[in-house]
């Protein structure tokens, strides 16, 4: 349970609740740009007009002849990619891996918003120069949220690393790139020791998932919060189910309103919403305990 593929599987499990969607397997490899897929099992729902997916690559089926489907890869904004013998083919999936991966990334971005207050912590150090007050944060991403603390090295062996009060430094954005190549600068109003190190701890948003192989640790999310992205992704993916039902251009679903009344799809995830919010509060409290905001007079 270490990478994005695990989160995709967890999200799908929440959404389907034990429903087994049709799957198949490739009996021959596929090269990006190709036009056919050869299946191992009976074709079943793989018919003309069907949507199928292999990993994050979504295909449109144009026609079927025996065990071979004529397809168009890279559909719906996905990237056409090679596939190997034995790779799983999802047949008419309610949600493709690409859709779930995108929802996971949206949730990672949402979790580090000011509303939720979660973040990853990183550090940067540089050598202090008594003739300079502004320092370029070029090795730090421009999406820094805020500074946790700034400490400086002492000239003796005490290893005290005193903290510079929050009133004596400022993180400034959109600075002239002629002086600060990144446009992000740390201005120090309190001197440190020239020739010695200044150590900066800062808050950053979580990194998003590049593909199904991306390690969870690469996002910067605490391991205790690994349950949050699948919860958020499931909620956002279910949010659009009512839109389909409300379309008037085509015949609506045949379920009786008494069985599944309007709004049922949206309210079905209310339990997940409550669970996610409670977990966010818990993880925010954990971060606040580890990295409290210190207000200096």
């Amino acid at each position: 349970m270490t990478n994005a593929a695990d989160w995709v599987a967890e999200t799908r499990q929440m959404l389907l609740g034990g429903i087994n969607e049709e799957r198949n397997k490739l009996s021959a490899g596929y090269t990006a740009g190709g036009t056919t897929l050869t299946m191992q099992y009976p074709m079943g729902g793989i018919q003309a007009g069907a949507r199928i997916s292999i990993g994050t690559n979504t295909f449109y089926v144009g026609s079927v002849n025996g065990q071979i489907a004529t397809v168009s890869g890279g559909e719906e904004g996905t990237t056409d990619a090679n596939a190997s013998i034995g790779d799983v083919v999802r047949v008419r999936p309610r949600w493709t891996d690409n859709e779930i991966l995108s929802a996971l990334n949206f949730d990672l971005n949402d979790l580090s918003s000011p509303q939720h207050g979660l973040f990853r912590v990183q550090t940067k150090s540089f050598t202090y120069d008594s003739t300079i007050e502004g320092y370029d944060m070029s090795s730090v991403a421009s999406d820094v949220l805020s500074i946790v603390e700034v400490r400086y090295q002492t000239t003796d062996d005490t290893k005290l690393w005193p903290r510079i009060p929050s009133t004596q430094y400022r993180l400034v954005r959109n600075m002239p790139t002629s002086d600060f190549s990144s446009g992000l600068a740390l201005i120090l109003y309190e001197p440190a020791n020239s020739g010695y190190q200044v150590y900066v701890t800062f808050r950053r948003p979580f990194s998003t998932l590049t593909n199904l192989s991306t390690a969870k640790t690469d996002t910067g999310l605490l391991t205790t919060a690994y349950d949050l992205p699948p919860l958020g992704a499931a909620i956002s993916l279910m949010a659009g189910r009512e839109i389909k039902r409300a379309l008037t251009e085509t015949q609506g679903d045949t379920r009786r309103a008494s069985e599944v009344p309007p709004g049922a799809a949206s309210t079905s995830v209310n339990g997940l919403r409550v669970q996610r919010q409670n977990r966010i509060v818990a993880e925010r409290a954990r971060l606040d305990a580890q990295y409290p905001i210190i207000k200096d007079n």
Side-chain angles (χ1 to χ4, degrees):
M1 308 295 285
T2 60
N3 57 28
D6 299 319
W7 270 341
V8 169
E10 290 171 28
T11 305
R12 181 175 278 112
Q13 190 174 25
M14 286 184 194
L15 291 167
L16 297 180
I19 296 174
N20 290 318
E21 291 187 317
E22 184 181 349
R23 288 175 290 177
N24 211 313
K25 284 188 176 182
L26 292 181
S27 63
Y30 168 80
T31 302
T35 58
T36 60
L37 293 174
T38 305
M39 303 300 166
Q40 181 175 335
Y41 304 132
M43 300 301 274
I46 303 178
Q47 303 168 354
R51 179 176 76 155
I52 61 177
S53 67
I54 303 173
T56 55
N57 188 5
T58 300
F59 296 84
Y60 174 80
V61 179
S63 62
V64 172
N65 183 9
Q67 295 295 106
I68 299 176
T70 300
V71 298
S72 171
E75 293 287 316
E76 301 176 3
T78 62
T79 300
D80 198 10
N82 297 341
S84 304
I85 295 175
D87 281 358
V88 173
V89 180
R90 295 191 175 275
V91 182
R92 298 180 183 271
R94 290 171 174 83
W95 295 276
T96 65
D97 283 5
N98 186 71
E99 289 170 332
I100 297 176
L101 188 69
S102 296
L104 288 166
N105 281 333
F106 291 144
D107 193 68
L108 285 166
N109 288 330
D110 184 49
L111 288 173
S112 54
S113 67
Q115 177 182 356
H116 297 308
L118 302 187
F119 52 86
R120 67 186 304 183
V121 175
Q122 291 186 321
T123 59
K124 171 186 172 61
S125 62
F126 57 87
T127 302
Y128 182 74
D129 184 339
S130 60
T131 64
I132 299 175
E133 293 184 357
Y135 293 85
D136 182 27
M137 303 293 281
S138 57
S139 64
V140 177
S142 59
D143 60 358
V144 171
L145 296 171
S146 61
I147 299 292
V148 175
E149 65 177 10
V150 179
R151 294 182 177 271
Y152 63 91
Q153 188 179 17
T154 56
T155 58
D156 52 32
D157 295 328
T158 60
K159 298 183 180 180
L160 181 60
W161 288 89
R163 183 179 63 84
I164 296 178
S166 58
T167 56
Q168 297 303 306
Y169 64 80
R170 185 180 178 188
L171 186 68
V172 186
R173 307 176 193 275
N174 303 317
M175 293 292 279
T177 55
S178 55
D179 286 333
F180 307 97
S181 61
S182 66
L184 186 67
L186 177 66
I187 310 299
L188 297 179
Y189 303 114
E190 179 177 303
N193 295 311
S194 190
Y196 290 80
Q197 293 294 296
V198 172
Y199 196 75
V200 186
T201 305
F202 54 93
R203 302 176 183 87
R204 272 195 65 198
F206 302 115
S207 296
T208 53
L209 306 164
T210 304
N211 51 50
L212 296 176
S213 299
T214 303
K216 294 178 182 179
T217 54
D218 290 349
T219 65
L221 195 66
L222 290 176
T223 56
T224 55
Y226 279 179
D227 60 320
L228 285 174
L231 281 169
I235 292 168
S236 65
L237 289 169
M238 279 300 295
R241 303 300 285 181
E242 292 294 339
I243 298 174
K244 173 185 174 183
R245 184 169 188 167
L247 293 176
T248 58
E249 291 84 354
T250 58
Q251 179 182 350
D253 60 60
T254 58
R255 296 292 296 274
R256 295 186 182 92
S258 59
E259 295 176 335
V260 186
S266 298
T267 57
S268 66
V269 293
N270 281 345
L272 295 182
R273 289 192 180 96
V274 173
Q275 181 182 352
R276 178 176 182 262
Q277 188 55 42
N278 288 339
R279 289 289 297 115
I280 288 174
V281 171
E283 291 303 321
R284 185 169 63 231
R286 190 191 307 274
L287 284 171
D288 289 345
Q290 293 176 346
Y291 304 99
I293 297 175
I294 302 173
K295 295 183 179 180
D296 299 292
N297 294 328

